[in-house]
Amino acid sequence: MASSGEQDMVPETRVLAIASHVAYGFVGNTMATYVMQSLGCEVAGINTVHFSNHTGYRQVKGTKTSAQEIRDLYEGLVQSYLTDFDVLLSGYAPSAAAVEAVGDIARDLKRRAESKPGSFFWILDPVMGDLGRLYVNEDVVPAYKNAIHYADLILPNQFEAETLSGVKISSVGDITKAINKIHEIYKVPHIIVTSVQLSRLDGSSTPSSTLTVIGSTIRSDGSPRLFNIDVPTLNCNFNGTGDMFAALMVARLREAVFASSPSLKTTTSWVSPDDVPATDLPLAKATEKVLSSMHYVLEKTMEARTAELATPIDPASTEQLTDEQKRLRAHLRETKAGEVRLIRNVHALRNPKVIFKAQQWRET
Amino acid sequence: MASSGEQDMVPETRVLAIASHVAYGFVGNTMATYVMQSLGCEVAGINTVHFSNHTGYRQVKGTKTSAQEIRDLYEGLVQSYLTDFDVLLSGYAPSAAAVEAVGDIARDLKRRAESKPGSFFWILDPVMGDLGRLYVNEDVVPAYKNAIHYADLILPNQFEAETLSGVKISSVGDITKAINKIHEIYKVPHIIVTSVQLSRLDGSSTPSSTLTVIGSTIRSDGSPRLFNIDVPTLNCNFNGTGDMFAALMVARLREAVFASSPSLKTTTSWVSPDDVPATDLPLAKATEKVLSSMHYVLEKTMEARTAELATPIDPASTEQLTDEQKRLRAHLRETKAGEVRLIRNVHALRNPKVIFKAQQWRET
């Protein structure tokens, strides 16, 4: 029993998780809840959509939660004194009004915790789009821009970092500019840009097979402390990896903060003293573990996907289909085969072998 | 890493779980999903309500899922070929129409699996009431009576067994009659009556501190094979224990069937040959593990509850309240303190020390 006991678990952590729910597969809260629970967190989930499956399948059934329903569920927690959360993790919200509702919940939790610095922390994934394209309504952008002022850590991808900073990232140096801007405009103390393909940027010598994660914790003078971690890309579009990253970060950041100086966990927003270098930040230590867990799980997912797609399809099952129907069928099969293999690889979430190390970001 | 790896897990099992969802605490799918996942099952969840907390708090906010929404979510799975489930676990449904929707889903899954005997199994918890009292609309009862004809295993409590069988259980012998009737009327091959307090029945010498679980797998002549397991009662009303029982049963029954004769898993409804005695049934073996896991977790919950309630309340936080408000506040505090401590006791779900053994039921 030894290694499935307490010693594999992070410090006790009560999380409110607000994100989407899918019946089948792992994205949103369906991903985040299990990931955090498997590391020992108590997770309360408010689901912002109730879908049959993730949108990567290109067809989905289900309903969205209204902003009022999100507020009501939170009000239900308040009226029964069930709001003793250490962390709020918020992901996809289906409308600007829903983003505002989440922001109001975060502010209320912050207010309740204000007499105890460090006792509440908001990790916000500003889900707006990817690869140069918004996939939410345009009014969601200003809603996030308002909300982020209250967040402790945000997890934008490259496109979202551009959207929030107003800095178009076309060179390696632009990344530093964008992160600087986000610290400056929103006073958000911690930022991780979760995926940058440096090889596509001017002035980079990074190979195209590498993905870079860049993080920063602000110093008292407002300047960033930047680190990066390079990871090999896997040749597949997985769904839910942003949610896996965020959920692992909840547990690993709190663990790293508790393992740091005793006073850090009672410091507002867990901002390390100025003399802590970028690569020694709890944010950097946490990211190392997070990415190591993820790489293992995604490699296993790739293997399982390849094996699943190698099994032959019964030709009789598709012979009546049009070419378009056959293409959809093949897409559905590939998407299903690419669902993240979380359950049987839980040991890699709990006990990652740390294979990636944070480096001081080469500010150019 | 050893004991959090594959060897602690049950055979690969894909489960569709249809039950309630609460943001805070562990009941319904919120309980069942984590329990089954922690044992290695892939779980797809359709949530029949979206509530802030369980009804034991006596106040709750949230919404119920309509029967049409349940059907739509399932239709979403069908249209993307995501219905390869080995087991359906169904629990609380908020209306007769919702029970019918679940029954139709079960029949559809059964139809898809009919060329492969034993490849699909429906565990149905006919949630209708407890302790002599219905807590669903009256029209839910006939809806369950129709649906149960298609179930492989049902998990009624004493009151639900009475409702389904038409036999009022007032003596020990009535239990045998009720189970016989359920086998006979509904042709359901496996039954477990999840909680009987024998000490309250005529002709019993069982102490009042004992709760009895009684199960049966049908023989080919329609007669029951009855076993019982006695467990000590804990002096607390926990919520979600029925859901914990059902979820553990999914994993442990499949495990026991796979560990039995090789042909059992390809036998319709996993009904053991007539020469297998009651106490050697996979159903009995599974129940031993299920109850041993539960007893450990509930004992730990009791300890944690006692400790939590022993911490003093700040008198300033209640001095403005009326007596009625104070009583509600105390009730909410006790209910919260009694939430099942699942996360930190996951090892007892995965590796139970079997302390309860099935006995041949003394048919009177």
Side-chain angles (χ1 to χ4, degrees), chain A residues 27-279:
Chain A
V27 304
N29 261 358
T30 313
M31 166 70 84
T33 301
Y34 178 68
V35 167
M36 292 189 284
Q37 287 176 327
S38 71
L39 290 167
C41 303
E42 297 286 344
V43 183
I46 292 181
N47 298 326
T48 55
V49 307
H50 314 287
F51 281 174
S52 54
N53 48 266
H54 67 68
T55 54
Y57 287 89
R58 297 184 199 152
Q59 55 184 22
V60 61
K61 299 221 174 201
T63 54
K64 295 177 177 179
T65 312
S66 71
Q68 190 55 50
E69 287 167 341
I70 293 172
R71 290 179 191 276
D72 283 349
L73 285 169
Y74 181 70
E75 185 48 41
L77 301 180
V78 169
Q79 74 173 358
S80 292
Y81 305 90
L82 303 173
T83 56
D84 52 344
F85 299 112
D86 306 300
V87 177
L88 169 65
L89 173 62
S90 66
Y92 178 73
S95 65
V99 171
E100 284 160 18
V102 174
D104 287 345
I105 291 168
R107 286 222 295 281
D108 187 61
L109 289 169
K110 264 194 134 65
R111 188 185 53 71
R112 290 167 186 277
E114 69 194 356
S115 67
K116 293 183 184 170
S119 68
F120 174 73
F121 194 94
W122 181 17
I123 300 183
L124 185 162
D125 187 358
V127 182
M128 296 189 286
D130 201 2
L131 306 172
R133 196 174 67 79
L134 269 189
Y135 45 57
V136 293
N137 277 336
E138 282 191 9
D139 60 353
V140 170
V141 177
Y144 270 121
K145 286 182 173 176
N146 284 330
I148 286 170
H149 290 272
Y150 303 92
D152 298 292
L153 164 61
I154 65 166
L155 306 172
N157 59 31
Q158 181 178 331
F159 171 70
E160 290 155 349
E162 290 176 336
T163 305
L164 294 172
S165 66
V167 176
K168 170 86 189 132
I169 298 175
S170 31
S171 73
V172 172
D174 291 336
I175 296 169
T176 314
K177 275 187 214 156
I179 291 177
N180 256 321
K181 268 283 178 202
I182 292 172
H183 277 317
E184 191 185 309
I185 301 170
Y186 305 100
K187 312 292 177 218
V188 60
H190 308 273
I191 304 164
I192 299 177
V193 183
T194 53
S195 60
V196 180
Q197 204 161 351
L198 290 181
S199 62
R200 294 194 182 164
L201 301 179
D202 298 340
S204 171
S205 55
T206 310
S208 63
S209 56
T210 296
L211 210 71
T212 301
V213 172
I214 300 161
S216 167
T217 295
I218 205 166
R219 284 194 199 86
S220 56
D221 64 358
S223 65
R225 260 176 289 195
L226 289 151
F227 64 87
N228 68 289
I229 300 180
D230 292 345
V231 296
T233 53
L234 294 170
N235 186 26
C236 181
N237 274 326
F238 301 106
N239 287 273
T241 53
D243 306 303
M244 183 167 28
F245 186 96
L248 287 166
M249 182 55 66
V250 167
R252 294 303 176 196
L253 180 57
R254 206 164 134 90
E255 177 186 58
V257 165
F258 275 58
S260 176
S261 72
S263 62
L264 187 59
K265 66 181 180 225
T266 56
T267 302
T268 302
S269 296
W270 305 339
V271 176
S272 299
D274 286 348
D275 61 348
V276 176
T279 52

Side-chain angles (χ1 to χ4, degrees), chain B residues 15-308:
Chain B
V15 185
L16 176 61
I18 309 183
S20 49
H21 180 271
V22 291
Y24 191 96
F26 286 111
V27 303
N29 262 356
T30 313
M31 167 68 86
T33 301
Y34 178 69
V35 168
M36 292 190 283
Q37 288 176 328
S38 71
L39 291 167
C41 303
E42 297 285 344
V43 183
I46 291 181
N47 298 327
T48 56
V49 308
H50 314 287
F51 281 175
S52 53
N53 48 266
H54 66 69
T55 53
Y57 286 89
R58 296 183 201 155
Q59 54 184 22
V60 59
K61 300 222 174 200
T63 54
K64 294 178 177 180
T65 312
S66 71
Q68 189 56 49
E69 286 167 341
I70 293 171
R71 290 180 190 275
D72 283 348
L73 285 168
Y74 181 69
E75 185 49 42
L77 301 181
V78 169
Q79 73 173 358
S80 293
Y81 304 92
L82 302 173
T83 56
D84 51 344
F85 299 112
D86 305 302
V87 178
L88 169 65
L89 173 63
S90 65
Y92 177 73
S95 66
V99 172
E100 283 160 20
V102 174
D104 287 345
I105 291 168
R107 286 221 296 283
D108 187 61
L109 289 170
K110 263 192 137 63
R111 188 184 54 71
R112 291 168 186 276
E114 69 193 355
S115 67
K116 292 184 183 170
S119 68
F120 174 72
F121 194 94
W122 181 16
I123 299 182
L124 184 162
D125 188 357
V127 182
M128 295 188 286
D130 201 3
L131 306 172
R133 197 174 67 80
L134 268 189
Y135 43 59
V136 293
N137 277 337
E138 282 190 10
D139 61 353
V140 169
V141 177
Y144 270 120
K145 287 183 172 177
N146 284 329
I148 286 170
H149 290 275
Y150 303 94
D152 298 292
L153 164 61
I154 66 167
L155 305 172
N157 57 31
Q158 180 177 335
F159 172 70
E160 291 157 348
E162 290 176 335
T163 306
L164 294 172
S165 65
V167 176
K168 171 86 189 133
I169 297 174
S170 31
S171 73
V172 173
D174 291 337
I175 296 170
T176 314
K177 275 186 214 155
I179 291 177
N180 256 321
K181 268 285 180 200
I182 292 173
H183 277 317
E184 191 185 308
I185 302 170
Y186 306 100
K187 311 295 177 213
V188 60
H190 309 273
I191 303 164
I192 298 176
V193 183
T194 54
S195 60
V196 180
Q197 204 161 352
L198 289 182
S199 62
R200 295 195 182 163
L201 302 180
D202 297 341
S204 171
S205 57
T206 310
S208 65
S209 57
T210 296
L211 209 71
T212 302
V213 173
I214 300 162
S216 167
T217 296
I218 205 166
R219 286 195 199 86
S220 54
D221 64 359
S223 65
R225 260 176 289 194
L226 288 152
F227 64 88
N228 68 288
I229 300 181
D230 291 346
V231 297
T233 53
L234 295 170
N235 186 26
C236 181
N237 273 327
F238 301 106
N239 286 272
T241 53
D243 307 303
M244 182 165 30
F245 186 96
L248 286 166
M249 183 53 67
V250 167
R252 294 303 176 196
L253 181 56
R254 207 167 133 90
E255 177 186 56
V257 166
F258 275 59
S260 176
S261 72
S263 62
L264 188 59
K265 66 181 180 223
T266 56
T267 301
T268 302
S269 296
W270 305 340
V271 176
S272 299
D274 286 349
D275 61 349
V276 175
T279 53
D280 287 351
L281 289 168
L283 196 66
K285 295 289 164 203
T287 308
E288 290 173 352
K289 281 199 177 183
V290 167
L291 291 174
S292 298
S293 284
M294 284 183 66
H295 188 73
Y296 182 95
V297 172
L298 295 179
E299 270 197 331
K300 292 291 174 189
T301 301
M302 277 291 278
E303 289 171 20
R305 177 180 179 274
T306 304
E308 194 170 320

